[in-house]
């Protein structure tokens, strides 16, 4: 019936605007019944196309697509024929198809007409020569043809099956189909190729007419290149090209070919040789055409675009064309996501399994396109595409670039063939901007940029071309240069030139060959070793030449500053420790460090930091190649501390005590310094790295001899007072927008650290006045920033100084820092706070003990009127505590006492930071410090269901401090005066505690949080109940919400549940009870999976009891909380709750009220009326909360409950109000599905319900 209607539509009139839909239907028809579709549809299309051509359709030659719609009918039928030929059995209409194609080739003159003709031939070849699945049905062929199965096929919709059970029906080319394809090639492709050669040498056509004839013939050639990709596996007998393989000619071998999907594989088959010759001739023709267009018809853009696409298909589509592969891959991925099942189950519908098999087949064919050996023909075509990629015409350039990038991925050595051409286009002698733009665009592509990054045959030229591209001042070219530079900077990996080869490599290779029965040739290993050595020497030579060339470039006075910074960035990136820094580089970088250009100074500073680090690495390596390759060399002071198998019980205590004791320089081995703060906090390792304090007798190694010239120059340069004066003058300038943010710069501090680390206190006499001068400029924040960076670098750089040097430094630095901190302003506070973190981070406390003492011994003054002066000391203290953590826990008890003593500080700014400091002090005390990992696992296994040491309770002193604090808060609360009379001790202390608690609940350090917060929870609710201090209420609310969102260990959840339930039941303030309920609600949702049934029931009982609270606000909130609890967890308890609330309502009848006739119209409430009203309202709220727990569902118990609730509709408020609300909410949430939900109610229930749900009418 359907096919009959389609045939009638085809014969009636062309539906040009429905061409896609008709084509899709015909394609599906042909896929289902190949012969039927061809026999019924082809005669109609044949007749209509011939009729259109006889009446002059497509008779006007054109090179462009026409928008006049004069030939739309012909194109409509041609499009349908393309869809039919792609999927149907065309062998039965062989002669008719050839006759029709000949007619279209002769008659079609417009661009769209002969393009559709070429597409028809390509589709015919795909139909004949490709291997593909013949059906994508949901069931295999036997089931599809089984009448009994089809009668009940609706029972098998969406049936899933395992891979391997799909019983695929593949189309594989038959000999008859192959012969038919070769016949088509002989008839149309060979003649079109000959026609093109004639047109190139003919003088009959010229101008536009020649372009049209060329385009028509090239379209035919392109169609056959697309269609015959699976006929043979190569492109003829052209010799393999050795060009661009270089030294890898012997070792580079083609990838192993997968034997799949090729038609002519028999070497003795004459057809195979014939097709191989045709493909070789086609490739040669494409090369001739490209040469012809490049030299004679460069402006024929449309034809060149067709030619480029043809060359791309010829080179890259080997076994399958990219459109087939991409469409199959997308279809398979789409189906895979659609039918994906949870649990990684490999069950899919048959249609997806068929798609999977088809996609895998095309992937094998696609794989054969890569890693092929180039021939001379391929070299010629790739170079032709490269030339077109540099064309002056944008359209040609874009198409050629896309084709080239796809083609070079398919051949070994193709990139090496193209890159020299592109680099030549970037030479300063080239004045063709379009050519340069094309080269830059190609070099920005990943497939070509990576060889320029890693291959030192191309990297030097590429870098130099970018740095000398200033001769092309076109903005688009400069933007491309900048883009390529940034991509190079981001992706460059400065890998070592040398590869360490084990001395046992030969024996290992020989043993491997014996095990796997491989042929072993010792000469091959020797050649490979020599080859690697020669490559390394060549790379080093290229590197040296590049550095010299870049040095010459940056010293050119006429060079633009942007290109100067670019060259300097390359020099910085190319620095490596295995190659010593040259004296010329050192001189240039030191000169640039004092440049007027901020960008130049920034790069020079970073480069000099790298130079100094490399000198240190080379000095410590003492010629060891492994240390230079990994770019890490062990400091001679470094030691490895190995712990005994049984760590002593007091080891952690002694470790902490030693961390804050003075260093014993007379016995350095007893004072090993460990800069890793985390060592031993959780568990003690078997060993850890530490450093010896440097005694006066310890001799450091001499500076690396090859780095000595650069080292001496830097020493001379840094020793000049004028250098430091000018440098700090630049550093203290206002930051340039875009260069860096106005913040403490760790890069600058690292630069100073490298100076003082290499030359120790050699320049201290020169730098000391500079530091003092900078620190004295209190009102200049930029000077303060520079001083913080310089002093921070000095302290970090003094890591391995001798005792005398350290004593001398701290003797003048400590008073300077004390004075600087006292004079610190709000503008410079952020710099000095970052300075404290930088100085203390990853440092053993003993290295900075004078500094820590200075920070921790600055007392608070509650009588001070300067809030900032008090708070800034706390900022510095917190920064030190964050960096040093538990290593200074023995220094913090007195500090903690002092902070808790000032918890009622009158200034907000001080209170906030004081709360943070108190939190850090408590968090730094606990430390599990298990002796070994085994002990950790054993201890945790024994504490299942109990409090773990990982969630450690507070020690006795800390617990006493918390208890004292809670007692003080309770006393202060009783003594509190109204806020209008001024702040009180209770208000001030509460705000400090809230800042402390909020920080404890928000940070990642939580070990002390549990022990600190839980005793304070009742007080937090009291703080929230202060009506005349909104700030305190808001802070308490935020802290309680954070407390509720906090995730607790399963062992602590019962304790929290008991705490909340106790507060709910025992609190005398209804405000507190009202505030606890939202917290309980969030806590319940957050820790739901850590609760057992008993805890859930306990929470539910506590919340249910609040339904009887005298305060209506508490009752309403309790109902909302109970509804959420039932919805997310306790649905099984619904029946029990219903009975409980019904019993509650039955036990609470409302006493009758009598009107007082003698007085005004008022009612006298009888005894017990208010209590009964509350109890009755609680029961109604309980039932309504159960209904609201299922807003979009109608459980079995719901109709009965709703009918029961309806009888309370006439009760006095607030009961009636609650009933009306619950029925209104029910109507709102169920109105969209009422046609289904109403089936759950009995008729009499619906009758009662209709009275409740339908609003009364005034006219009723």
């Amino acid at each position: 019936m359907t096919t009959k209607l389609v045939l009638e539509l085809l014969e009636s009139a062309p539906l040009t605007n429905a061409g896609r839909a008709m084509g899709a239907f015909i394609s599906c028809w042909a896929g289902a019944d190949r012969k039927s579709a061809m026999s019924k549809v082809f005669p109609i299309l044949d007749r209509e196309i011939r009729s259109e051509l006889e009446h002059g359709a497509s008779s006007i030659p054109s090179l462009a697509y026409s928008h006049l719609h004069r030939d739309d009918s012909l194109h409509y039928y041609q499009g349908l024929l393309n869809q039919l030929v792609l999927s149907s059995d065309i062998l039965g209409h062989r002669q008719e198809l050839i006759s029709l194609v000949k007619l279209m080739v002769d008659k079609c003159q417009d661009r769209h007409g002969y393009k559709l003709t070429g597409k028809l031939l390509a589709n015919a070849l795909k139909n004949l020569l490709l291997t593909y699945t013949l059906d994508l049905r949901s069931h295999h062929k036997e089931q599809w043809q089984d009448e009994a199965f089809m009668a009940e096929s609706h029972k098998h919709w969406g049936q899933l099956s395992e891979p391997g059970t799909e019983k695929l029906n593949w189309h594989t080319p038959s000999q008859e189909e192959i012969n038919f394809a070769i016949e088509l090639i002989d008839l149309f492709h060979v003649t079109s190729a000959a026609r093109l050669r004639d047109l190139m040498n003919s003088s009959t056509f010229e101008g536009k007419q020649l372009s049209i004839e060329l385009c028509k013939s090239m379209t035919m050639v392109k169609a056959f290149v697309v269609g015959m990709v699976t006929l043979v596996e190569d492109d003829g007998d052209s010799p393999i090209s050795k060009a661009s393989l270089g030294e890898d000619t012997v070792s580079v071998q083609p990838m192993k070919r997968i034997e799949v999907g090729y038609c002519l594989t028999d070497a003795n088959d004459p057809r195979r040789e014939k097709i191989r010759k045709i493909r070789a001739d086609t490739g040669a023709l494409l090369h001739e055409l490209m040469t012809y267009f490049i030299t004679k018809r460069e402006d024929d853009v449309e034809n060149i675009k067709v030619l480029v696409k043809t060359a791309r298909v010829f080179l890259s589509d080997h076994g399958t064309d990219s459109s087939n592969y991409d469409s199959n891959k997308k279809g398979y991925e789409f189906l895979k996501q659609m039918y994906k099942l949870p649990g990684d189950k490999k069950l899919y519908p048959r249609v997806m399994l068929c798609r999977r098999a088809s996609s895998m087949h095309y992937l094998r064919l696609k794989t054969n396109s890569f890693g092929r050996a180039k021939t001379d023909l391929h070299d010629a075509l790739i170079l032709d595409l490269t030339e077109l990629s540099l064309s002056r015409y944008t359209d040609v350039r874009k198409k050629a670039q896309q084709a080239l990038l796809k083609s070079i991925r398919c051949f070994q050595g193709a990139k090496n063939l193209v890159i020299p051409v592109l680099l030549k286009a970037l030479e300063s002698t080239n004045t063709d901007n379009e050519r340069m733009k094309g080269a830059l665009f190609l070099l920005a592509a990943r497939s070509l940029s990576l060889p320029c990054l890693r291959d030192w045959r191309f990297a030097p030229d590429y870098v130099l071309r970018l740095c000398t591209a200033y001769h092309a001042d076109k903005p688009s070219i400069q933007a491309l240069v900048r883009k390529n530079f940034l991509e190079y900077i981001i992706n460059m990996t400065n890998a070592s030139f040398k590869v360490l080869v084990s001395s046992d490599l030969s024996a290992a290779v020989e043993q491997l060959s014996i095990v796997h029965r491989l042929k072993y040739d010792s000469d091959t290993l020797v050649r490979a070793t020599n080859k690697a050595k020669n490559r390394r020497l060549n790379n080093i030579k290229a590197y040296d030449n590049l550095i010299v060339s870049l040095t010459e470039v940056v010293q050119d006075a006429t060079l633009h500053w942007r290109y100067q910074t670019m060259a300097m960035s390359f020099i910085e990136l190319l620095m490596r420790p295995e190659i010593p820094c040259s004296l010329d580089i050192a001189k240039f970088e030191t000169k640039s460090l004092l440049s007027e250009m901020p960008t130049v100074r920034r790069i020079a500073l970073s480069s000099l930091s790298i130079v100094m680090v490399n000198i240190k690495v080379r000095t410590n390596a003492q010629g060891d190649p492994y240390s230079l390759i990994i770019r890490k060399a062990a400091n001679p002071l470094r030691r490895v501390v190995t712990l005994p198998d049984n760590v002593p019980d007091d080891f952690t205590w002694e470790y902490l005590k030693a961390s804050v004791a003075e260093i014993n320089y007379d016995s350095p081995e007893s004072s090993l310094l460990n800069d890793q703060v985390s060592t031993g906090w959780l568990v003690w390792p078997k060993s850890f790295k530490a450093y010896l304090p440097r005694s006066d007798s310890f001799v450091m190694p001499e500076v690396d001899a090859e780095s000595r010239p650069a080292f001496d120059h830097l020493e001379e340069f840094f020793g000049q007072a004028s250098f430091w004066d000018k440098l700090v003058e630049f550093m203290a300038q206002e930051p340039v927008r875009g260069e860096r943010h106005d913040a403490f710069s760790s890069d600058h501090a690292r630069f100073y650290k490298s100076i003082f680390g290499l030359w120790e206190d050699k320049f201290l006499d020169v730098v000391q006045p500079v530091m003092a001068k900078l620190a004295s400029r209190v009102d200049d924040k930029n000077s303060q920033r520079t001083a913080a960076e310089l002093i921070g670098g000095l302290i970090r750089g003094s890591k391995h100084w001798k005792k005398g040097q350290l004593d001398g430094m701290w003797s003048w630095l400590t008073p300077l820092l004390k004075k600087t901190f006292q004079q610190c302003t709000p503008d410079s506070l952020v710099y000095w706070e970052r300075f404290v973190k930088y100085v203390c981070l990853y440092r053993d406390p003993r290295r900075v003990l004078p500094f820590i003492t200075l920070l921790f011994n600055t007392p608070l003054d509650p009588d001070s009127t300067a809030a900032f002066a008090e708070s800034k000391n706390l900022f510095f203290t917190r920064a030190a505590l964050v960096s040093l953590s538990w290593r200074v826990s023995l220094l913090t008890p007195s500090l903690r006492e002092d902070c808790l003593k000032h918890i009622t500080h009158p200034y907000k700014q001080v209170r906030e930071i004081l709360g943070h400091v108190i939190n850090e002090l408590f968090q730094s005390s606990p430390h599990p410090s298990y002796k070994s990992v085994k002990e950790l696992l054993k201890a945790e296994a024994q504490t299942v269901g109990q409090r773990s040491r990982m969630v450690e309770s507070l020690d006795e002193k800390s617990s006493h401090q918390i208890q004292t604090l809670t007692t003080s808060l309770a006393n202060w609360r009783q003594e509190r005066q109204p806020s209008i009379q001024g702040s009180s001790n209770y208000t001030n202390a509460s705000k400090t505690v809230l800042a402390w608690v909020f920080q404890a609940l928000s940070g990642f350090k939580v070990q002390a949080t549990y022990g600190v917060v839980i005793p304070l929870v009742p007080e937090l609710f009291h703080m929230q109940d202060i009506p005349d201090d909104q700030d305190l209420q808001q802070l308490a609310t935020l802290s309680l919400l954070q407390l509720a969102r906090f995730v607790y260990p399963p062992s602590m959840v019962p304790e929290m549940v008991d705490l909340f339930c106790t507060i709910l039941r025992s609190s005398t303030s209804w405000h507190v009870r009202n505030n606890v309920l939202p917290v309980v609600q969030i806590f319940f949702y957050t820790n739901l999976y850590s609760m057992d049934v008993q805890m859930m029931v306990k929470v539910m009982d506590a919340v249910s009891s609040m339904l009887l609270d005298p305060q209506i606000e508490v009752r309403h909130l309790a109902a909302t909380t109970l509804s959420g609890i039932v919805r997310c967890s306790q649905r099984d308890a619904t029946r029990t709750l219903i009975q409980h609330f019904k019993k509650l309502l039955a036990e609470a009848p409302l006493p009758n009220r009598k009107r007082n006739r003698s007085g005004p119209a008022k009612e006298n409430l009888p005894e017990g009326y208010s209590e009964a009203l509350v109890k009755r309202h609680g029961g109604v709220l309980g039932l309504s909360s159960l209904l609201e727990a299922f807003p979009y569902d109608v459980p079995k118990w719901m109709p009965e409950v709703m009918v029961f609730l309806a009888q309370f509709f006439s009760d006095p408020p607030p009961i009636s109000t609650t009933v009306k609300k619950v029925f209104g909410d029910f109507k709102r949430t169920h109105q969209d599905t009422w046609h289904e939900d109403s089936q759950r109610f009995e008729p009499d229930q619906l009758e009662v319900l209709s009275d409740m749900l339908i609003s009364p009418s005034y006219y009723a």
Side-chain angles (χ1 to χ4, degrees), residues 570-683:
F570 279 124
I571 292 175
E572 178 188 358
L573 275 176
L574 293 169
M575 289 180 179
R576 49 183 69 214
E578 64 265 31
I579 298 179
C581 175
S582 66
L583 178 61
D584 293 337
I585 291 294
K587 289 182 178 180
F588 172 75
E589 297 293 355
T590 51
K591 178 183 177 182
S592 301
L593 186 60
L594 302 179
S595 170
E596 297 289 338
M597 297 293 298
T599 307
V600 173
R601 289 200 304 271
R602 174 177 57 81
I603 300 173
L605 184 142
S606 178
S607 299
L608 284 173
S609 298
I610 295 174
V611 168
M612 289 185 283
V613 169
N614 289 346
I615 291 175
K616 183 181 75 171
V617 171
R618 291 184 63 84
T619 300
N620 291 336
Q622 294 293 298
D624 178 24
Y626 179 75
S627 299
L628 295 177
I629 288 176
I630 65 173
R631 302 179 185 188
K632 289 183 180 180
N635 191 292
L637 293 170
R638 192 173 77 176
R639 299 292 184 271
V640 176
V641 179
T642 303
L643 300 183
D645 294 336
N646 187 16
V647 177
D649 294 337
D650 62 343
F651 182 80
T652 303
W653 170 257
E654 294 295 333
Y655 179 76
L656 290 175
K657 191 165 66 172
S659 296
V660 293
E662 292 288 344
I663 299 175
N664 184 2
Y665 285 94
D666 296 331
S667 178
E669 293 289 345
S670 63
S671 299
L672 291 175
L673 304 174
N674 180 16
D675 293 324
Q676 295 297 322
V677 177
S678 60
T679 303
W681 182 87
L682 175 61
V683 61

Side-chain angles (χ1 to χ4, degrees), residues 198-313:
D198 292 341
L199 288 172
M200 283 190 289
N201 300 320
S202 174
S203 58
T204 306
F205 301 101
E206 58 184 24
K208 185 177 180 180
Q209 188 177 6
L210 178 59
S211 295
I212 293 172
E213 292 298 324
L214 286 168
C215 184
K216 184 176 178 180
S217 297
M218 282 195 299
T219 302
M220 295 298 112
V221 171
K222 173 190 159 189
F224 281 93
V225 172
V226 171
M228 61 179 182
V229 290
T230 57
L231 260 179
V232 291
E233 68 277 10
D234 60 8
D235 296 326
D237 293 325
S238 178
I240 295 178
S241 171
K242 302 298 183 182
S244 71
L245 291 180
E247 60 182 9
D248 296 328
T249 304
V250 177
S251 59
V252 175
Q253 297 295 327
M255 287 180 62
K256 186 177 180 181
R257 190 175 304 280
I258 302 174
E259 300 298 335
V260 56
Y262 295 105
C263 301
L264 302 174
T265 56
D266 185 2
N268 298 322
D269 191 341
R271 296 175 301 175
R272 179 174 180 272
E273 295 304 317
K274 176 181 178 180
I275 297 301
R276 292 177 72 236
K277 186 176 184 304
I278 290 175
R279 277 195 65 87
D281 290 342
T282 303
L285 172 64
L286 294 176
H287 172 55
E288 294 171 14
L289 284 169
M290 288 191 182
T291 305
Y292 171 73
F293 279 106
I294 290 172
T295 55
K296 297 183 179 180
R297 299 186 64 85
E298 190 180 5
D299 57 348
D300 196 348
V301 175
E302 290 299 323
N303 278 328
I304 294 177
K305 286 161 66 175
V306 176
L307 179 59
V308 165
K309 187 170 183 180
T310 307
R312 194 270 301 164
V313 174

Side-chain angles (χ1 to χ4, degrees), residues 1033-1155:
Q1033 283 184 329
Q1034 291 176 356
L1035 288 172
T1037 301
L1038 288 173
S1039 298
L1040 286 170
L1041 290 176
Q1042 194 70 15
L1043 173 77
R1045 289 193 291 262
F1046 201 68
V1047 178
Y1048 298 87
S1051 59
M1052 287 192 63
V1053 172
E1055 184 178 351
M1056 294 299 296
V1057 169
D1058 292 339
L1059 178 62
F1060 288 131
C1061 292
T1062 302
I1063 297 174
L1064 278 174
R1065 291 194 173 100
S1066 62
S1067 177
T1068 58
S1069 171
W1070 73 267
H1071 292 285
V1072 172
R1073 297 195 299 273
N1074 197 59
N1075 293 333
V1076 171
L1077 286 170
V1079 176
V1080 170
Q1081 193 173 8
I1082 299 173
F1083 170 81
F1084 189 88
Y1085 299 153
T1086 306
N1087 298 275
L1088 178 63
Y1089 296 104
S1090 298
M1091 295 184 182
D1092 55 22
V1093 177
Q1094 292 180 351
M1095 282 187 279
M1096 293 180 185
V1097 171
K1098 191 171 187 178
V1099 174
M1100 195 163 56
D1101 290 344
V1103 173
S1104 299
S1105 66
M1106 292 297 102
L1107 294 173
L1108 303 179
D1109 194 274
Q1111 197 69 27
I1112 189 172
E1113 290 86 353
V1114 177
R1115 296 200 298 270
H1116 279 297
L1117 193 53
T1120 303
T1121 304
L1122 181 61
S1123 176
I1125 291 174
V1126 171
R1127 182 185 305 139
C1128 70
S1129 63
Q1130 287 299 303
R1131 297 193 174 200
D1132 296 338
T1134 307
R1135 293 285 184 183
T1136 306
L1137 290 172
I1138 291 172
Q1139 297 302 321
H1140 170 71
F1141 294 130
K1142 281 186 176 182
K1143 182 179 179 182
L1144 189 65
L1145 288 167
E1147 295 174 351
L1150 285 177
N1152 293 328
R1153 293 177 293 178
K1154 295 181 180 181
R1155 184 178 297 276

Side-chain angles (χ1 to χ4, degrees), residues 1199-1210:
E1200 180 186 353
V1201 172
M1202 295 189 70
V1203 172
F1204 180 77
L1205 272 178
Q1207 61 183 307
F1208 302 98
F1209 183 77
S1210 300

Side-chain angles (χ1 to χ4, degrees), residues 74-136:
L74 173 64
H75 301 155
Y76 167 73
Y77 291 120
Q78 284 181 306
L80 298 183
L81 183 60
N82 280 332
Q83 294 295 330
L84 176 67
V85 167
L86 185 61
S87 305
S88 59
D89 186 359
I90 62 176
L91 281 178
H93 298 75
R94 182 172 181 170
Q95 297 304 324
E96 295 89 337
L97 185 61
I98 291 175
S99 174
L100 180 60
V101 172
K102 283 182 178 179
L103 181 64
M104 287 194 290
V105 169
D106 293 337
K107 296 291 185 180
C108 291
Q109 299 297 324
D110 74 317
R111 177 74 180 274
H112 201 180
Y114 56 73
K115 180 180 178 181
L116 287 174
T117 304
K119 188 175 180 181
L120 173 64
L121 287 168
N123 287 347
L125 290 177
K126 290 179 183 179
N127 186 334
L128 296 168
L129 301 176
L130 291 182
T131 301
Y132 49 88
T133 53
L134 286 174
D135 72 275
L136 297 174

Side-chain angles (χ1 to χ4, degrees), residues 157-230:
W157 289 351
Q159 181 177 339
L160 304 179
S161 56
E162 296 182 357
T165 62
E166 53 269 21
K167 296 184 180 179
L168 293 177
N169 184 19
W170 289 93
H171 167 268
T172 53
S174 64
Q175 294 301 318
E176 188 177 1
E177 288 176 324
I178 295 173
N179 291 333
F180 183 28
I182 294 175
E183 183 180 355
L184 292 175
I185 292 171
D186 289 336
L187 286 173
F188 300 104
H189 174 66
V190 176
T191 55
S192 297
R195 172 72 171 162
L196 282 172
R197 284 193 169 92
D198 292 341
L199 288 172
M200 283 190 289
N201 300 320
S202 174
S203 58
T204 306
F205 301 101
E206 58 184 24
K208 185 177 180 180
Q209 188 177 6
L210 178 59
S211 295
I212 293 172
E213 292 298 324
L214 286 168
C215 184
K216 184 176 178 180
S217 297
M218 282 195 299
T219 302
M220 295 298 112
V221 171
K222 173 190 159 189
F224 281 93
V225 172
V226 171
M228 61 179 182
V229 290
T230 57

